[in-house]
Amino acid sequence: MIWLFDLDNTLVGRDDAFAAWAAAAVSASDGTEADLAAIVAADEGGFSRKADLARVIVDRLGWDDDVPAAVERFRAGIRDHVRAYDGVLFSLDVLRAAGHRVAVVTNGDSAQQRGKIARCAVEPHVDAIVVSDEEGVAKPDPRILEIALERLGAADVDRRSVWMVGDAAHADVAVGRAAGTRTAWVSHGRAWQGADRPDVVAATTREVIALAASPEVSRRA
């Protein structure tokens, strides 16, 4: 079996890290709960334009930074606060010990994503890492999964033996479907919107892995 994992909010708690950094930044600037709520909302779960988010932060907190400096400031804050989810790297080790191949497939700025990967010590637990900024193609474009499969030596593998696992329906589930793989959605307690559900849905990445690797689900391939 081949496993392709999103990074942010799948293997590592990116939104938790942003929220922790934002709370500290607001406190340091004598901001208010309203400022914190506005900054977290402007982040849009990591999918907002970084310059737009920086402008909200600068305006709310009265920073003297220009937009590029503010972007780097909050990116550094995320890197400082990010952590791998409890037990998830062990789950990757279990998959690999069973002979499965594992890759990270992540959208984002190369330095930022590599920084989070290094901070959380993800690399020793996977066989390949693919970052959109380094490849010139991003999820949901299926070409990024083809790159990952090639790096794993599995370019010709039956796509029904491949799992794309992630928390973002519009990127992770969509790219899996476009590439013809099986899809697993990490819901974090959210309800799936729409009728066409992924193959597996669970609240946490570890639960997703356990369900997807179960004999019952494996027989559906």
Side-chain angles (χ1 to χ4, degrees):
M1 195 77 74
I2 307 293
W3 299 81
L4 308 177
F5 288 93
D6 173 50
L7 179 67
D8 292 325
N9 302 319
T10 299
L11 299 181
V12 307
R14 185 268 174 204
D15 285 358
D16 293 341
F18 181 80
W21 169 81
V26 168
S27 177
S29 299
D30 295 323
T32 66
E33 288 295 323
D35 293 324
L36 177 58
I39 290 168
V40 171
D43 181 50
E44 296 179 6
F47 292 106
S48 66
R49 292 182 68 251
K50 302 307 178 233
D52 292 344
L53 173 58
R55 291 186 186 97
V56 172
I57 294 171
V58 167
D59 179 62
R60 284 282 181 168
L61 302 187
W63 286 0
D64 293 329
D65 304 60
D66 60 17
V67 167
V71 169
E72 180 47 42
R73 192 166 168 181
F74 73 69
R75 280 179 165 166
I78 292 169
R79 294 194 302 270
D80 287 344
H81 287 84
V82 74
R83 300 289 185 275
Y85 288 124
D86 289 345
V88 76
L89 299 182
F90 174 75
S91 294
L92 302 187
D93 291 341
V94 171
L95 292 175
R96 296 174 76 213
H100 300 200
R101 283 169 281 181
V102 176
V104 172
V105 183
T106 179
N107 285 357
D109 173 81
S110 177
Q112 183 69 358
Q113 300 308 89
R114 292 284 180 178
K116 285 181 277 192
I117 287 165
R119 171 77 176 185
C120 297
V122 172
E123 190 164 8
H125 304 274
V126 301
D127 301 297
I129 294 170
V130 178
V131 182
S132 67
D133 187 41
E134 299 169 4
E135 307 300 337
V137 61
K139 297 176 288 185
D141 189 319
R143 289 178 294 172
I144 196 167
L145 296 198
E146 299 301 333
I147 291 168
L149 292 173
E150 185 174 348
R151 299 266 171 85
L152 293 172
D156 298 323
V157 72
D158 181 350
R159 297 302 187 265
R160 296 300 294 170
S161 67
V162 179
W163 282 98
M164 177 64 219
V165 181
D167 72 297
H170 71 281
D172 304 315
V173 176
V175 75
R177 287 176 173 159
T181 73
R182 306 183 82 183
T183 56
W185 186 54
V186 183
S187 72
H188 297 295
R190 298 166 292 170
W192 177 257
Q193 301 297 315
D196 194 9
R197 286 171 61 86
D199 295 288
V200 164
V201 174
T204 70
T205 303
R206 296 194 76 189
E207 290 174 300
V208 158
I209 293 170
L211 281 171
S214 68
E216 178 184 356
V217 173
S218 297
R219 283 194 295 267
R220 298 179 200 161

